[in-house]
Amino acid sequence: MMQTELDLFNPANPAEPQWIGKQAVVLPGLALAWVDALLPELRQIIACAPLRHMVTPGGLNMAVGLTNCGTLGWISDRRGYRYSPVDPLSQQPWPALPTVFSELAALAASAAGFADFQPDACLVNCYQPGNRLSLHQDRDEHDYSQPIVSVSLGLPAVFQFGGHSRNAPSQRIGLRHGDVMVWGGEDRLRFHGVLPLKPGNHPVLGSRRINLTLRKAG
Ligand code: SIN
Ligand code: FE2
């Protein structure tokens, strides 16, 4: 039987970790108990460092709105992709990484086998219906032995988890509000992306999806 999209969002046992690589795992609903603590912090971050559409090195406006918190923030402009200690909009440091963000990230990383994860950067991506993120590798960080922790909030999305080349086949993984994904080690540089967000209205976040990716960038 062909896998339907419904199946993607209804794993047999939603509480069980789903290993999608040797060192890549989806932790369904892990962040649900943290949402009430995450959201006020997120609001404050966005108030200080507003979501914006960055320009790619090729001169296109990114559809996904983004901002950062932490000592480093990921930016893109005509000069390329990189981490910056200051928000280019304000020339001020990014808002601090809230303790609750790093605690959740460390918990998730340890569940995936990465002890003592101490993120210094959190990229906040905001997707509106129709927005997608094309396949890419996270390779602007210094130390690839450190994992990536991704927290999904709001509307569900289909995440593509590919291989080590852009055209390798990719798995499609349903990510819902509260799901956390961790990839590191041999899976750290796998291509990944997000399919166009389906319209919907999430009871907590409305018509959008917010993804937090926590990294050790410096
Ligand atoms: C990213 O790759 O930076 C974001 C992934 C996601 O939105 O799930
Ligand atoms: Fe990424």
Side-chain angles (χ1 to χ4, degrees), residues 56 60 62-64 81 127 130-138 158-160 166 190-196:
T56 64
L60 299 172
M62 294 181 68
V64 174
Y81 304 130
Y127 299 76
N131 290 171
R132 64 193 290 271
L133 191 66
S134 51
L135 280 178
H136 66 278
Q137 292 171 297
D138 290 357
V158 179
F159 186 82
Q160 288 177 287
R166 188 180 296 280
R190 280 170 68 165
F191 278 84
H192 58 277
V194 178
L195 295 186

Side-chain angles (χ1 to χ4, degrees), residues 32 35 39 43 153-156 177 200-208:
L32 280 177
V35 171
L39 290 183
R43 266 183 221 111
L153 299 169
L155 289 178
H177 182 66
N201 186 34
H202 187 271
V204 180
L205 281 170
S207 173
R208 61 195 166 153

Side-chain angles (χ1 to χ4, degrees), residues 41-82:
E41 300 285 2
L42 191 55
R43 266 183 221 111
Q44 220 176 320
I45 290 160
I46 292 172
C48 296
L51 292 162
R52 77 290 306 265
H53 299 281
M54 290 195 180
V55 176
T56 64
L60 299 172
N61 252 6
M62 294 181 68
V64 174
L66 68 85
T67 188
N68 292 279
C69 59
T71 53
L72 290 170
W74 185 88
I75 62 168
S76 172
D77 60 21
R78 293 303 297 236
R79 287 160 50 209
Y81 304 130
R82 64 195 174 281

Side-chain angles (χ1 to χ4, degrees), residues 5-218:
E5 193 167 316
L6 200 63
D7 293 328
L8 281 175
F9 287 106
N10 285 293
N13 183 346
E16 284 292 307
Q18 291 172 255
W19 289 90
I20 54 170
K22 276 223 173 80
Q23 293 180 285
V25 69
V26 179
L27 304 162
L30 182 75
L32 280 177
W34 298 65
V35 171
D36 286 352
L38 297 173
L39 290 183
E41 300 285 2
L42 191 55
R43 266 183 221 111
Q44 220 176 320
I45 290 160
I46 292 172
C48 296
L51 292 162
R52 77 290 306 265
H53 299 281
M54 290 195 180
V55 176
T56 64
L60 299 172
N61 252 6
M62 294 181 68
V64 174
L66 68 85
T67 188
N68 292 279
C69 59
T71 53
L72 290 170
W74 185 88
I75 62 168
S76 172
D77 60 21
R78 293 303 297 236
R79 287 160 50 209
Y81 304 130
R82 64 195 174 281
Y83 280 92
S84 165
V86 295
D87 178 348
L89 280 186
S90 65
Q91 297 300 326
Q92 296 299 309
W94 298 101
L97 189 69
T99 309
V100 63
F101 283 27
S102 14
E103 283 175 356
L104 172 59
L107 175 73
S110 68
F114 300 95
D116 302 321
F117 180 52
Q118 291 180 322
D120 57 9
C122 175
L123 172 60
V124 179
N125 282 312
C126 182
Y127 299 76
Q128 312 279 348
N131 290 171
R132 64 193 290 271
L133 191 66
S134 51
L135 280 178
H136 66 278
Q137 292 171 297
D138 290 357
R139 52 183 309 156
D140 301 319
E141 301 73 27
H142 277 126
D143 181 359
Y144 298 150
S145 74
Q146 298 292 318
I148 304 279
V149 175
S150 145
V151 179
S152 290
L153 299 169
L155 289 178
V158 179
F159 186 82
Q160 288 177 287
F161 197 55
H164 285 91
S165 66
R166 188 180 296 280
N167 52 15
S170 60
Q171 308 177 58
R172 291 182 171 196
I173 297 143
L175 291 179
R176 286 176 298 193
H177 182 66
D179 289 351
V180 181
M181 217 184 125
V182 182
W183 63 96
E186 68 175 56
D187 295 315
R188 175 62 178 72
L189 287 175
R190 280 170 68 165
F191 278 84
H192 58 277
V194 178
L195 295 186
L197 194 73
K198 293 245 170 79
N201 186 34
H202 187 271
V204 180
L205 281 170
S207 173
R208 61 195 166 153
R209 168 178 188 259
I210 292 188
N211 178 265
L212 313 175
T213 44
L214 292 122
R215 299 111 187 262
K216 171 92 181 72

